[in-house]
Amino acid sequence: MSGEHALVDTKGKFVQVVKDGRKRNDIEWLPGRVLLSNKRLVLATNQGKRTIALSKVTSVTASQMNQQLAQVDGYVKLQAGQNVWLVSPQTSEAFEQELYSTLLDQIVVLVKHPALKGGVVTEATWEKARFKLDEEQEDTVNIAISSGTFVELDIDDVGTVEQKQKEIRGKERPLLEVEHTIDGTSVETHISGSPHHVSLIGGLVRQGEQRNAADDVDLSSAETQVLMALYSGISPFKIPDFVDMDIEEVEDVYDRLMEADILEPVRTRREVQLEARGRSIAGDAIADQ
């Protein structure tokens, strides 16, 4: 194929779980070679090979091991039309990085940033932007907005992702609402584009959401107040006055929340910032008010 070059050539396992829209019951991992180029993915065994054109891939999701598929540590789920494959290459991180880069690098999308800041709606408008995976920082997406703003989105920092349909620039479009942080403050970056691109971006950023999913956490009233204040952008140094609590009491709250991986310390003892898990909890708490 013209302009084609190899990106990944490794051993691995794979299985087709949906064929022509019908779920397969006879799931059996096949050992073989996983070959990825900038044009296609080839899954090869001694009995033959399956070729998947990357232009046909509509969804990619990275998943960890589960009981039903415990023969592998992790896999990538790819959907192309009515067919779905699970692929578990030996060099899984390199494979995922190259796959997402090939599918998403340099695409043009519509972005509103920040659409929300500290939970408050801003006056940001929709602008064209170019999307690129960072070659040096793994799990980082760079979004260059046409007006000159540059957004560095750390996937591990993503708290929540919502996908919906909304009228944007006079046309009904798919929309991703991605919550993350800028300089310690919770923001939402809204991304829209073709259904194909939005689906692929959603699969990528949801990896962070899944890692940081808020389990059921039993928080006291004081802990919830502190979380909501931090989520709204209040400086950690101003929290005691803002929530009307003693400094020592706020410090105790910080200790408990850091032990629960909801806060992380920054530079000094009393300066903290919300982890993605903490922002998810705080966002839910504010929504329930």
Side-chain angles (χ1 to χ4, degrees):
M1 299 175 70
S2 177
E4 184 174 15
H5 55 271
L7 299 171
V8 177
D9 184 350
T10 185
K11 294 181 180 178
K13 295 180 179 180
F14 37 83
V15 60
Q16 186 172 5
V17 293
V18 177
K19 185 175 183 179
D20 298 327
R22 301 186 65 179
K23 191 172 182 179
R24 296 181 60 188
N25 296 318
D26 55 334
I27 295 178
E28 179 182 355
W29 287 98
L30 301 174
R33 288 176 66 196
V34 178
L35 300 96
L36 176 67
S37 77
N38 59 315
K39 300 283 188 180
R40 54 185 170 167
L41 172 65
V42 179
L43 308 175
T45 67
N46 293 332
Q47 287 73 45
K49 64 181 181 180
R50 169 74 70 175
T51 299
I52 306 167
L54 296 186
S55 61
K56 302 294 184 183
V57 174
T58 54
S59 176
V60 176
T61 308
S63 301
Q64 300 299 313
M65 178 186 72
N66 61 35
Q67 292 182 348
Q68 291 181 324
L69 302 164
Q71 297 174 356
V72 299
D73 292 331
Y75 57 88
V76 176
K77 178 181 177 183
L78 298 100
Q79 181 171 349
Q82 292 186 308
N83 299 297
V84 178
W85 289 265
L86 307 183
V87 182
S88 178
Q90 286 185 349
T91 55
S92 59
E93 290 185 3
F95 176 79
E96 287 179 32
Q97 182 77 9
E98 292 289 359
L99 179 61
Y100 274 117
S101 293
T102 303
L103 291 169
L104 293 173
D105 263 2
Q106 302 301 325
I107 66 169
V108 175
V109 292
L110 289 173
V111 168
K112 182 188 285 188
H113 173 84
L116 274 72
K117 185 174 183 179
V120 179
V121 176
T122 72
E123 296 181 357
T125 58
W126 287 101
E127 301 179 76
K128 286 187 177 180
R130 194 169 293 276
F131 197 91
K132 181 174 177 57
L133 271 69
D134 197 301
E135 296 178 357
E136 297 181 357
Q137 300 185 67
E138 188 177 339
D139 286 340
T140 300
V141 173
N142 296 324
I143 305 174
I145 301 177
S146 58
S147 61
T149 303
F150 182 82
V151 182
E152 189 176 86
L153 175 58
D154 181 357
I155 294 172
D156 280 335
D157 182 50
V158 171
T160 58
V161 181
E162 290 191 28
Q163 184 165 348
K164 55 185 68 172
Q165 290 287 129
K166 188 175 181 180
E167 185 173 315
I168 300 170
R169 289 188 170 182
K171 183 178 179 180
E172 193 79 7
R173 302 175 190 266
L175 166 68
L176 283 176
E177 299 178 350
V178 184
E179 190 276 340
H180 57 111
T181 61
I182 298 292
D183 297 329
T185 300
S186 171
V187 300
E188 276 192 15
T189 297
H190 292 182
I191 303 171
S192 184
S194 70
H196 176 73
H197 286 155
V198 169
S199 176
L200 291 171
I201 295 170
L204 176 62
V205 297
R206 277 201 173 92
Q207 293 182 40
E209 180 189 41
Q210 291 167 2
R211 295 169 197 160
N212 298 313
D215 302 321
D216 290 336
V217 179
D218 188 14
L219 298 179
S220 67
S221 174
E223 290 166 346
T224 301
Q225 286 184 60
V226 169
L227 274 184
M228 290 191 294
L230 288 168
Y231 184 85
S232 300
I234 303 300
S235 166
F237 297 105
K238 297 180 180 178
I239 291 295
D241 290 337
F242 187 81
V243 298
D244 194 22
M245 293 165 57
D246 294 335
I247 293 175
E248 292 78 11
E249 187 178 0
V250 172
E251 292 254 350
D252 289 340
V253 170
Y254 287 167
D255 282 335
R256 294 194 296 272
L257 295 178
M258 283 188 281
E259 287 176 4
D261 292 328
I262 293 171
L263 294 183
E264 64 175 344
V266 180
R267 291 193 298 276
T268 62
R269 175 71 175 161
R270 290 186 59 246
E271 185 174 359
V272 295
Q273 68 182 26
L274 284 169
E275 293 274 32
R277 185 167 181 255
R279 299 197 308 274
S280 180
I281 295 170
D284 290 343
I286 290 174
D288 291 338
Q289 294 297 304

